[in-house]
Amino acid sequence: MAKSRSHFPTQDVLSSAQAAVRSREWEGPTRWTEYLGPEIASRNNGGAEGAATQTSSSSSQKGLNMQWVYQLTHVAEGLMAKMYRLNQILDYPDLVSHVYSEAFWKAGLFPNHPRICILLEKKFPEHHSKLQLERVDKLALDAMNDSAEVHLQGLEPWVQLLLDLMAFREQSLRLILDLSSTVITLLPHQNSLILHAFMDLFCSFVRVNLFSDKIPRKMILQTYNLLHAMARNDRDCDFYHRLIQFVDSYDPPLKGLHEDLNFVSPRIGEVLEAVGPIVFLSTDTRKLRNEGFLSPFHPRYPDILTNSAHPMRAQDLANVTSYREWVLFGYLVCPDELLRVTSVDIALVVMKENLVLTLFRDEYILLHDEYQLYVLPRILESKKMAKSGRTKQKEADLEYSVAKQVEKMISEVHEQALYSCDAIHHERRILLKQEIGRMVLFFTDQPSLLAPNIQMVFSALAFAQSEVLWYFQHVGVAASKSKTTRVVPVETDPNDPTIGFLLDGMDRLCCLVRKYIAAIRGYALSYLSSCAGRIRFLLGTPGMVALDLDATLKGLFQKIVQHLENIPKPQGENISAITCDLSELRTDWLSILMIVTSARSSINIRHLEKATVSTGKEGLLSEGNAAYNWSRCVDELESQLSKYGSLKKLYFYHQHLTTVFRNTMFGPEGRPQHCCAWLGVASSFPECASPIVPEEMSKIGRDAVLYVESLIESIMGGLEGLINILDSEGGFGSLEMQLLPDQAANLMNLTSRLSLPSAKSPKLSYGFHLPGYESYPENNNSIKMLEAALQRLTNLCSVLNDMEPICVLNHVFVLREYMRECILGNFKRRLLTVLKTDSDLQRPSVLESLIHRHTSIIHLAEQHVSMDLTQGIREILLAETYSGPVSSLQLFEKTAEQQTGSATEAVCNWYIENIVKDVSGAGIIFAPLHRCFKSTRPVGGYFAESVTDLRELKSFVRTFGTYGVDRLDRMLKEHTAALLNCIDTTLRANRENLEAVAGSMHSGDRMETEVNIKQIVDMDTMVRFCIQAGQAIAFGSLLAEASGDVLKEGAPLIYSLLAGVAKHLPDEIPEKKEIRRMRRVANTVNVVGDHDFEWVRSILEEVGGATDGSWSLLPYLFATFMTSSIWNTTAFNVDTGGFSNNVHCLARCICAVIAGSELIKLEREFQQKQSLSNGHISETLDPAETLNYLSIEASIKSTMQLFIKFSAGIILDSWNESNRSHLIAKLIFLDQVCEISPYLPRSSLESHVPYSILRSVYSQYYSNSSTPLALTSSASPRHSPAMSLAHASPSLRQVKSISPQSNVHDSGYFKTPSAHGPDQYETDSVGIRSIDHKNRNVRRSGPLDYSLSRKSKFVEGSTSASTGPSPLPRFAVSRSGPISYK
């Protein structure tokens, strides 16, 4: 931006500006300090700007001041940067149709009065005083008058820009005229340095003036003059009329350019003819390939490693981009040169492959439209003049013929370009892809040959740079077809993979050059050292001596030789340590060139060439130019690499760049290694920022960072996609497909029948594949897809791991870290996704296999990266399963801000809600024989047995670990604690009724018992709660068993340690905290004898349950459950070993709650006694009264026997001939209670219900066990099982004989014998089992398995033993309950 001048009076500023225009000093280099900046000297081309200061006064008159040439080229860049910024501020106005957006007026540059401003622009160059603006918009004019000073200050920098454009035009034209009139030769092979400087200034001059047509010059000037007149008493600004003339002469710009550059047109024509051969060569793809112009080895002689076939041509190809621009700009502004005989062909090949002519950054003009509007009329005029015979006839015929050819070419080339330019460049990109690929491989293998071929590398980079820029410059371009006046969009394929190959090739070539930069410098230093002798020899030849050089020129040549001889000699490996500044060498050589190419000098370039070329070696100028070029490989190699290999201009197309990247990177031709180059481009984006516009740096830097982040997001998305492709059912999942046993059997049977050779169908009607299915060629695609995805994944991981950090300003992007976060983040998302299917929870075994599959893919990727991804996976699994400290192992408290795993919460909640609570009403029942839960209909997507059997729970334990098990266990305990609280509430609420029931039961008053039982409130609800508690207890037991199995498989030593410790834990009451913790830990892995008892005990201890005296009535409450209506729907199922409505879970609840509550109650009573004695137990308590496990077990056994006695009494009392439908279910229930409880012998029920009844019941069920459904009690035989009393039942203890008179009554129910009264239980309580309490849990399974000794007793005491074989052995061999038939 122009420096602010707001602190000066406006009149002084304007007068000083006008004075500056007249000042001769203003025309010198100091005029452009604002545009050049302090660092311009270090950025100049080889230090040539300082060349003029090195010459003496005499030589400066003969030579050319090249400093201004280079500086004005940089000034042109600054001017265009300012105009570009102005366009951005004004939202790219449409100056042709005078359409301006709302943002144009809100920018604050112009007064927001469109009618006035647009009228001033349309009426340009008329003075505002003649437009009668009052009639247009009087209010707007008054408002402008009021704020004239403010708007003047706002427009002043941009009016200054117009002044700068006018001054630039004057100085540039003077320099261009001076160069074209004084330089003897401008041929590329003779005077390439001055030629490039001259043509760069020429093209910059054309660009600036063409670009100026895109800014509202007329509106700026006219509005500023109107405001100036308002503020300065109707006086025009001093420079108004000169600017009016300047703007008008360049409206349109090509009109002024044609007039201004007419005098240099012949020299431009010569230059364009001279570069024609290189232009032709650059468009001939076949010749470039066949003759190896871009090949480091000779195409016809591969054993010649260094390609010396076309050294100068290959070197000159590096400038082909500039040559093409010279052609397009040169013939556009010097159309008469097209009438040269060879010019039409040169213009044709370049115009045929271009549609736009880039002016600055991403600003362009439509090439063919400009040629048809401004070049074609000049050609037609020349054709008309030639036809009229205004010159000699022969020349007129030739000129007419050429003009006709040019006319035809301009008219037709647009159509050709529209349809062929993309194909031409695509073919060229393929060539460069192949050549650069070979070049990279060759120089990687032979790095010593990189230095001799460095110019060829520069040519390849320049070629690729040109093609990549062309591709993006033409994306989205809409070219108008003048004949049909319709717009045709240019078709550039966004899926073209060659762009990625070119970017990658350029990046790898640049990396090779930087890697071996020391070798290249060493080679260049060696060349320069040898060049010194050759130049000294040439200076001493007779021809040079005869020239009699003046002192200045001779001194410059001697300085060149001294520079070359003083170059340090590279020795050993210290080349990289050599610091050598050869800018003075280049400055002196350029000074020589400025003298000998000037027409004012007595010794010129032709004299030198003739004097030295006769030696048969390279001439003096050729040696000097070569030394100049090689010197740049010593201290300016990086700047040269940036010039030819930089893609910083792609910043202006970064959105298209992102689109092409996304379309190609993971396409069929994409390569993961290309992403390095796509990302590396962004590092050069900030170089596009102009120092003239300070705010550009922050914007470009921000855009570059966003570009990198966008690409990284795409790369990581592709990485996730590759992983997810492999981790899918069509990926590795297809390799894990397994048949169910029945499917495998059907497949084997069907396969065995296929004996005919013609039966080759790999797929059967069942939908399963025969072995060897993958071997068929038509089925290879899936395997190939897997291999390709796996290969691409490993390649991408390897590339990202080895990629250098991407630096954009102060941002550093480390792709390895992004890759790590991507892989682990994707694993976490996949984990949370696969937790549930579309319908409901995923089966734990399936979830485990999916996690293993995904982990195996990550392990494959981990082999190609230097990171520990396994540790990250473990951290994620831990984070997702952590739900607080493990209650039995960790003593710390979870902090409030500590996050818990969502995965564990989701799975545990599902199990509690759907299995334990059965909120969906799926008919969940526990199957004791199968040790799992079953359901009558699917719970979500599966039946309950599919997610609750031991295999699935073991998968759950392996997946979610100790934290998951502990969380589920805690949730089960919380649920059970709430149900136990309901038992406590019921006991308290019904205490009086239960005491009455207990009294009537003990007294044997049946009628009173029934009355008291009916008064108990909400019995059915309480039964359902207890059944649900039993379900939770059963689930907890299965979970503990699964945990134990997993621990035993994974850590057998720890498991055996826990099992051994659990057997030797001291039976102290009260237990120490450490012992209690150890017992709980052992219980979580099911190495304790009675899991249910310990589990309920821990719940009661945590919630402080069983504290009320009403808990002593617990067996009576449970006994009253025998009168519940729940039995109306109860049926025993032989297949599951349980009841249809889960009543067998009630048995589990009763056994566990009675045992746990008795221990808690006795322990609390013992502690109360201890507290009363103040801790002196030995003084106050008798040792016989010390509480231990034996006494606790005796109490539990007594309570359980009490429950069995009264339950059997209630059952038998309620039985009669008219109401016997529920008797069988209740008797089986009591038998299961005796089987489940470790504190009751299996024969406990025998005292109350004869064995023969139970045997008859089981016989009836098991004889019909072939039917899948259990027999309901209503389908029992007509004769009651009570009629089988002839079969006496044995007993371990002495049982009094039962007389028929006391057993059978008319009412049809069993009366409890007096021998089973309270006295008997008192006796049993004292006479505890004689077996060792350590073996109290060793029990036999099966419904009537009473051990071998008892079997002999049964046979002896049975009256039916002699009539035939007893059915007893059938049950005695039962392994796991009454229906253990696999």
Side-chain angles (χ1 to χ4, degrees):
M1 299 290 288
K3 294 179 182 177
S4 173
R5 301 177 178 83
S6 58
H7 54 283
F8 294 119
T10 307
Q11 188 172 359
D12 295 343
V13 170
L14 300 178
S15 60
S16 63
Q18 179 64 18
V21 171
R22 298 193 187 98
S23 171
R24 180 68 179 172
E25 183 182 341
W26 178 76
E27 297 176 1
T30 55
R31 167 68 181 83
W32 305 108
T33 304
E34 176 189 355
Y35 291 92
L36 296 175
E39 298 179 0
I40 196 63
S42 63
R43 297 168 49 200
N44 281 333
N45 192 353
E49 291 79 355
T53 61
Q54 303 295 325
T55 59
S56 64
S57 58
S58 59
S59 63
S60 64
Q61 293 176 359
K62 298 177 183 178
L64 302 168
N65 193 339
M66 291 296 292
Q67 183 183 17
W68 287 15
V69 177
Y70 289 108
Q71 285 190 349
L72 280 180
T73 305
H74 288 294
V75 169
E77 293 286 323
L79 288 170
M80 287 189 285
K82 268 194 175 184
M83 290 189 284
Y84 189 87
R85 178 59 183 158
L86 178 60
N87 258 357
Q88 285 182 328
I89 294 173
L90 298 179
D91 194 30
Y92 305 98
D94 183 359
L95 302 180
V96 177
S97 57
H98 305 287
V99 175
Y100 303 99
S101 65
E102 188 176 353
F104 178 91
W105 302 107
K106 287 187 175 180
L109 188 60
F110 295 99
N112 195 359
H113 304 298
R115 294 179 64 186
I116 297 289
C117 295
I118 293 175
L119 181 66
L120 287 171
E121 183 183 41
K122 287 181 177 180
K123 296 297 183 180
F124 180 88
E126 290 189 30
H127 196 270
H128 60 82
S129 59
K130 300 178 181 178
L131 299 178
Q132 297 181 341
L133 297 177
E134 307 85 20
R135 297 184 179 180
V136 177
D137 195 339
K138 182 67 168 64
L139 295 177
L141 200 63
D142 293 342
M144 289 176 66
N145 202 354
D146 294 339
S147 57
E149 289 289 349
V150 177
H151 290 301
L152 270 176
Q153 293 181 11
L155 278 173
E156 182 187 335
W158 306 109
V159 174
Q160 185 64 39
L161 175 62
L162 295 181
L163 283 171
D164 292 341
L165 288 171
M166 183 170 63
F168 174 77
R169 174 212 179 195
E170 295 173 1
Q171 291 195 23
S172 299
L173 281 175
R174 186 179 298 116
L175 270 179
I176 291 172
L177 175 61
D178 195 17
L179 282 169
S180 66
S181 60
T182 58
V183 175
I184 297 173
T185 176
L186 283 173
L187 299 181
H189 64 281
Q190 291 181 339
N191 193 16
S192 62
L193 297 177
I194 294 180
L195 168 64
H196 279 271
F198 170 73
M199 290 304 296
D200 286 346
L201 177 61
F202 173 81
C203 292
S204 296
F205 175 73
V206 175
R207 280 196 178 97
V208 167
N209 287 285
L210 289 175
F211 193 18
S212 66
D213 194 40
K214 293 178 175 287
I215 64 171
R217 298 171 297 168
K218 302 174 184 177
M219 188 181 293
I220 291 174
L221 180 57
Q222 293 286 70
T223 306
Y224 183 86
N225 192 54
L226 172 63
L227 294 169
H228 184 276
M230 290 177 174
R232 299 293 180 269
N233 300 322
D234 292 333
R235 186 167 61 86
D236 293 336
C237 52
D238 295 341
F239 47 79
Y240 172 68
H241 297 287
R242 289 196 62 195
L243 280 179
I244 285 285
Q245 183 181 359
F246 166 66
V247 172
D248 189 49
S249 65
Y250 275 80
D251 182 29
L254 280 172
K255 182 186 74 172
L257 288 170
H258 285 166
E259 296 175 0
D260 288 345
L261 297 176
N262 186 49
F263 64 93
V264 297
S265 181
R267 299 305 300 268
I268 298 298
E270 293 175 6
V271 170
L272 299 184
E273 276 190 325
V275 300
I278 299 297
V279 172
F280 290 139
L281 176 63
S282 69
T283 59
D284 193 343
T285 305
R286 180 177 299 178
K287 188 174 183 181
L288 287 173
R289 179 186 287 113
N290 293 344
E291 299 193 14
F293 282 96
L294 296 176
S295 178
F297 49 84
H298 199 287
R300 292 184 294 277
Y301 308 102
D303 54 323
I304 303 177
L305 294 181
T306 303
N307 187 0
S308 55
H310 313 282
M312 291 305 295
R313 285 285 179 87
Q315 177 179 328
D316 220 12
L317 283 173
N319 302 315
V320 73
T321 305
S322 300
Y323 293 167
R324 289 172 183 159
E325 290 183 353
W326 296 355
V327 170
L328 294 178
F329 281 119
Y331 289 132
L332 181 63
V333 297
C334 303
D336 292 338
E337 301 311 308
L338 274 172
L339 298 176
R340 293 172 179 256
V341 177
T342 57
S343 296
V344 62
D345 296 325
I346 299 173
L348 175 63
V349 295
V350 181
M351 292 177 66
K352 190 167 62 176
E353 59 185 39
N354 288 281
L355 290 170
V356 300
L357 185 54
T358 304
L359 300 179
F360 182 69
R361 296 178 176 176
D362 57 341
E363 292 285 349
Y364 62 87
I365 57 175
L366 294 176
L367 174 67
H368 298 278
D369 288 2
E370 299 296 318
Y371 266 82
Q372 290 176 357
L373 285 175
Y374 300 105
V375 176
L376 189 58
R378 294 285 293 268
I379 300 299
L380 294 176
E381 183 181 348
S382 299
K383 176 184 170 185
K384 184 178 179 181
M385 290 177 62
K387 190 175 182 180
S388 63
R390 296 180 61 180
T391 58
K392 295 181 180 179
Q393 188 62 37
K394 186 176 181 181
E395 293 179 2
D397 289 343
L398 179 62
E399 187 175 346
Y400 178 80
S401 174
V402 173
K404 197 172 182 181
Q405 290 180 24
V406 174
E407 177 193 3
K408 182 180 179 183
M409 183 270 292
I410 295 177
S411 303
E412 295 178 355
V413 72
H414 188 197
E415 192 80 20
Q416 296 177 27
L418 280 175
Y419 296 107
S420 65
C421 64
D422 187 55
I424 293 172
H425 285 274
H426 184 261
E427 183 183 4
R428 195 174 299 158
R429 289 196 298 271
I430 292 176
L431 165 73
L432 289 171
K433 165 191 166 183
Q434 296 168 347
E435 296 294 333
I436 291 178
R438 281 197 288 264
M439 196 177 284
V440 168
L441 292 176
F442 181 83
F443 288 133
T444 303
D445 185 54
Q446 301 285 339
S448 60
L449 298 177
L450 179 60
N453 289 287
I454 189 66
Q455 296 297 333
M456 183 181 298
V457 172
F458 289 154
S459 296
L461 289 174
F463 245 106
Q465 180 192 57
S466 172
E467 290 306 313
V468 172
L469 288 175
W470 183 95
Y471 178 88
F472 287 102
Q473 285 167 353
H474 285 73
V475 170
V477 172
S480 61
K481 296 182 66 176
S482 55
K483 292 183 179 179
T484 56
T485 64
R486 63 188 179 91
V487 175
V488 178
V490 182
E491 296 180 0
T492 51
D493 184 11
N495 300 314
D496 190 348
T498 58
I499 300 298
F501 280 97
L502 290 186
L503 292 179
D504 179 62
M506 293 178 68
D507 181 63
R508 294 172 70 183
L509 271 182
C510 291
C511 288
L512 277 175
V513 173
R514 292 188 177 98
K515 182 178 181 180
Y516 297 108
I517 193 168
I520 298 170
R521 291 181 63 199
Y523 182 88
L525 288 172
S526 300
Y527 180 89
L528 293 174
S529 298
S530 64
C531 187
R534 292 194 296 272
I535 291 181
R536 182 175 289 278
F537 168 76
L538 290 173
L539 288 175
T541 57
M544 285 298 297
V545 174
L547 279 180
D548 191 20
L549 302 179
D550 61 12
T552 304
L553 203 54
K554 187 178 295 185
L556 286 172
F557 276 118
Q558 291 300 325
K559 288 178 68 175
I560 293 294
V561 174
Q562 289 175 8
H563 287 314
L564 293 175
E565 290 178 343
N566 292 334
I567 286 175
K569 304 294 187 292
Q571 295 177 354
E573 300 178 355
N574 63 344
I575 301 174
S576 58
I578 296 177
T579 56
C580 187
D581 183 8
L582 299 179
S583 59
E584 290 186 6
L585 167 68
R586 291 189 293 274
T587 299
D588 291 336
W589 180 251
L590 203 59
S591 300
I592 292 174
L593 287 181
M594 284 189 281
I595 294 174
V596 300
T597 56
S598 172
R600 303 186 185 103
S601 173
S602 59
I603 304 297
N604 60 42
I605 192 170
R606 295 185 180 91
H607 298 145
L608 293 178
E609 201 65 22
K610 287 180 180 179
T612 57
V613 79
S614 60
T615 60
K617 300 179 181 179
E618 291 288 337
L620 182 61
L621 287 176
S622 299
E623 288 286 357
N625 286 335
Y628 184 98
N629 289 329
W630 279 108
S631 71
R632 301 196 66 190
C633 291
V634 175
D635 56 351
E636 288 190 352
L637 189 60
E638 195 64 42
S639 65
Q640 280 193 295
L641 203 58
S642 174
K643 174 184 176 183
Y644 296 117
S646 172
L647 291 168
K648 63 181 181 181
K649 292 182 181 178
L650 287 181
Y651 160 72
F652 303 102
Y653 312 97
H654 65 270
Q655 293 178 342
H656 300 309
L657 203 64
T658 306
T659 304
V660 176
F661 171 82
R662 288 175 176 168
N663 288 343
T664 59
M665 173 53 64
F666 297 99
E669 293 295 325
R671 297 292 184 273
Q673 57 267 32
H674 293 174
C675 61
C676 303
W678 287 93
L679 288 167
V681 167
S683 300
S684 61
F685 283 175
E687 298 174 13
C688 295
S690 172
I692 310 301
V693 187
E695 60 267 27
E696 271 189 351
M697 179 58 75
S698 59
K699 181 183 184 303
I700 292 177
R702 185 169 59 251
D703 289 342
V705 170
L706 291 176
Y707 164 80
V708 174
E709 290 176 347
S710 175
L711 256 62
I712 290 177
E713 182 182 352
S714 299
I715 293 171
M716 297 308 149
L719 178 62
E720 284 186 18
L722 289 172
I723 294 175
N724 294 339
I725 286 173
L726 294 174
D727 184 28
S728 64
E729 294 308 316
F732 282 178
S734 62
L735 306 179
E736 300 171 355
M737 292 173 59
Q738 296 181 357
L739 299 180
L740 297 175
D742 55 341
Q743 295 173 339
N746 289 332
L747 187 57
M748 290 176 63
N749 291 334
L750 192 57
T751 305
S752 63
R753 299 192 197 107
L754 295 177
S755 57
L756 296 177
S758 60
K760 293 182 179 179
S761 174
K763 193 169 183 180
L764 307 179
S765 57
Y766 287 90
F768 310 130
H769 300 298
L770 289 175
Y773 163 77
E774 298 85 357
S775 302
Y776 288 87
E778 62 269 19
N779 303 321
N780 281 343
N781 290 335
S782 58
I783 301 299
K784 288 181 179 177
M785 183 273 293
L786 281 181
E787 292 176 349
L790 185 60
Q791 182 70 29
R792 187 163 290 191
L793 172 65
T794 54
N795 284 350
L796 182 59
C797 290
S798 178
V799 166
L800 295 178
N801 180 71
D802 298 336
M803 190 186 299
E804 294 293 327
I806 305 297
C807 301
V808 181
L809 295 181
N810 57 345
H811 294 261
V812 180
F813 299 90
V814 183
L815 270 295
R816 294 174 68 254
E817 297 303 320
Y818 280 94
M819 176 175 61
R820 174 186 170 85
E821 293 301 319
C822 169
I823 292 176
L824 297 181
N826 183 55
F827 174 76
K828 182 176 180 179
R829 288 188 293 273
R830 291 284 291 179
L831 174 63
L832 298 178
T833 301
V834 301
L835 275 178
K836 294 190 176 181
T837 60
D838 295 337
S839 52
D840 218 326
L841 181 76
Q842 184 66 271
R843 290 175 59 186
S845 60
V846 177
L847 176 62
E848 183 187 18
S849 69
L850 291 175
I851 292 175
H852 277 305
R853 188 170 76 194
H854 196 102
T855 306
S856 67
I857 296 170
I858 295 178
H859 286 163
L860 284 173
E862 191 177 26
Q863 297 174 7
H864 300 269
V865 299
S866 54
M867 291 185 292
D868 187 3
L869 297 176
T870 305
Q871 180 63 26
I873 292 174
R874 289 172 180 163
E875 291 172 358
I876 290 173
L877 288 174
L878 181 62
E880 289 303 317
T881 57
Y882 178 75
S883 55
V886 178
S887 54
S888 57
L889 292 175
Q890 298 167 327
L891 299 179
F892 62 88
E893 296 291 333
K894 186 175 83 71
T895 57
E897 65 274 6
Q898 199 168 9
Q899 297 293 325
T900 57
S902 57
T904 299
E905 290 292 328
V907 175
C908 293
N909 283 327
W910 188 92
Y911 271 113
I912 294 297
E913 296 295 324
N914 292 279
I915 302 300
V916 179
K917 296 182 180 179
D918 191 19
V919 293
S920 61
I924 301 292
I925 61 169
F926 177 64
L929 282 184
H930 302 104
R931 293 158 69 202
C932 69
F933 288 84
K934 291 181 176 289
S935 60
T936 56
R937 62 181 181 80
V939 184
Y942 305 98
F943 285 94
E945 57 266 31
S946 298
V947 290
T948 58
D949 66 359
L950 197 59
R951 173 174 170 266
E952 297 295 330
L953 291 180
K954 285 166 69 175
S955 294
F956 169 84
V957 174
R958 282 191 294 266
T959 303
F960 295 96
T962 309
Y963 289 112
V965 171
D966 184 69
R967 177 58 180 159
L968 185 53
D969 186 68
R970 273 188 283 130
M971 294 176 75
L972 288 169
K973 285 182 177 178
E974 290 169 3
H975 177 60
T976 308
L979 298 173
L980 294 180
N981 185 55
C982 295
I983 295 177
D984 183 72
T985 304
T986 302
L987 287 171
R988 294 172 186 268
N990 296 283
R991 182 167 185 167
E992 293 180 1
N993 293 333
L994 289 174
E995 288 174 348
V997 168
S1000 59
M1001 283 183 177
H1002 283 287
S1003 63
D1005 190 342
R1006 174 172 159 279
M1007 301 301 295
E1008 185 181 351
T1009 299
E1010 291 181 356
V1011 172
N1012 291 329
I1013 288 175
K1014 289 180 180 179
Q1015 294 180 0
I1016 295 177
V1017 182
D1018 292 335
M1019 181 186 295
D1020 290 344
T1021 303
M1022 193 66 245
V1023 171
R1024 284 193 293 271
F1025 284 168
C1026 289
I1027 290 174
Q1028 202 170 112
Q1031 284 182 259
I1033 293 169
F1035 195 94
S1037 178
L1038 287 176
L1039 186 63
E1041 185 179 357
S1043 301
D1045 289 350
V1046 172
L1047 183 63
K1048 191 173 183 180
E1049 295 169 3
L1053 293 179
I1054 296 178
Y1055 179 84
S1056 61
L1057 176 66
L1058 282 175
V1061 168
K1063 292 179 182 178
H1064 298 88
L1065 289 176
D1067 294 335
E1068 298 176 354
I1069 298 296
E1071 286 181 328
K1072 296 180 180 178
K1073 290 184 179 179
E1074 292 77 11
I1075 301 299
R1076 189 76 200 95
R1077 282 184 62 206
M1078 183 59 70
R1079 198 180 296 279
R1080 288 187 179 182
V1081 171
N1083 195 43
T1084 57
V1085 292
N1086 203 34
V1087 293
V1088 213
D1090 186 5
H1091 171 272
D1092 297 356
F1093 157 64
E1094 291 289 347
W1095 199 72
V1096 172
R1097 172 192 175 184
S1098 65
I1099 294 174
L1100 292 173
E1101 285 179 344
E1102 289 174 3
V1103 301
T1107 57
D1108 191 76
S1110 58
W1111 278 80
S1112 59
L1113 300 171
L1114 188 63
Y1116 303 102
L1117 174 64
F1118 286 155
T1120 61
F1121 287 176
M1122 299 301 108
T1123 63
S1124 171
S1125 61
I1126 196 76
W1127 300 100
N1128 297 338
T1129 58
T1130 302
F1132 182 69
N1133 191 332
V1134 177
D1135 291 336
T1136 63
F1139 295 93
S1140 58
N1141 56 358
N1142 256 346
V1143 170
H1144 50 283
C1145 290
L1146 176 63
R1148 198 151 189 164
C1149 172
I1150 289 172
C1151 295
V1153 172
I1154 287 178
S1157 62
E1158 280 296 314
L1159 188 146
I1160 294 294
K1161 182 176 65 175
L1162 293 175
E1163 190 175 8
R1164 190 168 288 110
E1165 290 175 358
F1166 181 74
Q1167 289 174 347
Q1168 288 175 356
K1169 289 180 181 179
Q1170 277 187 313
S1171 63
L1172 291 174
S1173 62
N1174 292 325
H1176 299 287
I1177 301 176
S1178 60
E1179 297 178 7
T1180 58
L1181 297 177
D1182 185 53
E1185 297 179 359
T1186 303
L1187 189 63
N1188 55 32
Y1189 263 87
L1190 289 177
S1191 58
I1192 290 174
E1193 288 177 4
S1195 177
I1196 293 173
K1197 178 178 180 181
S1198 174
T1199 307
M1200 288 298 299
Q1201 287 176 335
L1202 192 65
F1203 162 73
I1204 293 294
K1205 171 187 173 181
F1206 290 128
S1207 295
I1210 292 175
I1211 292 170
L1212 297 177
D1213 283 344
S1214 63
W1215 175 81
N1216 53 51
E1217 285 297 328
S1218 61
N1219 183 20
R1220 59 191 183 86
S1221 59
H1222 314 306
L1223 174 65
I1224 294 176
K1226 294 177 181 177
L1227 292 179
I1228 294 176
F1229 171 79
L1230 290 182
D1231 182 60
Q1232 286 193 346
V1233 171
C1234 296
E1235 179 188 4
I1236 291 171
S1237 176
Y1239 303 98
L1240 286 179
R1242 185 68 180 273
S1243 60
S1244 298
L1245 187 59
E1246 214 175 320
S1247 306
H1248 316 292
V1249 179
Y1251 160 75
S1252 56
I1253 296 179
L1254 295 176
R1255 187 187 67 178
S1256 176
V1257 168
Y1258 283 120
S1259 296
Q1260 294 171 23
Y1261 274 107
Y1262 281 87
S1263 62
N1264 294 280
S1265 61
S1266 58
T1267 57
L1269 297 176
L1271 298 172
T1272 59
S1273 54
S1274 59
S1276 61
R1278 177 65 182 87
H1279 298 286
S1280 169
M1283 302 307 293
S1284 303
L1285 289 178
H1287 301 281
S1289 177
S1291 174
L1292 276 174
R1293 59 181 178 272
Q1294 184 180 1
V1295 182
K1296 296 181 181 181
S1297 61
I1298 305 173
S1299 62
Q1301 291 82 4
S1302 62
N1303 283 340
V1304 183
H1305 294 263
D1306 296 336
S1307 59
Y1309 68 89
F1310 287 101
K1311 183 174 177 61
T1312 306
S1314 59
H1316 293 172
D1319 296 336
Q1320 165 113 15
Y1321 280 94
E1322 294 297 327
T1323 305
D1324 290 341
S1325 298
V1326 178
I1328 302 300
R1329 73 182 73 161
S1330 59
I1331 61 173
D1332 185 64
H1333 71 280
K1334 297 292 183 182
N1335 300 322
R1336 62 184 179 271
N1337 294 324
V1338 180
R1339 301 174 53 248
R1340 302 292 188 271
S1341 60
L1344 298 172
D1345 187 7
Y1346 302 136
S1347 81
L1348 188 61
S1349 61
R1350 292 174 57 198
K1351 286 197 287 183
S1352 62
K1353 287 186 179 182
F1354 295 157
V1355 174
E1356 294 170 0
S1358 175
T1359 57
S1360 62
S1362 59
T1363 60
S1366 171
L1368 181 62
R1370 173 184 176 187
F1371 300 104
V1373 297
S1374 173
R1375 290 190 177 88
S1376 57
I1379 56 168
S1380 181
Y1381 304 117
K1382 301 295 182 185

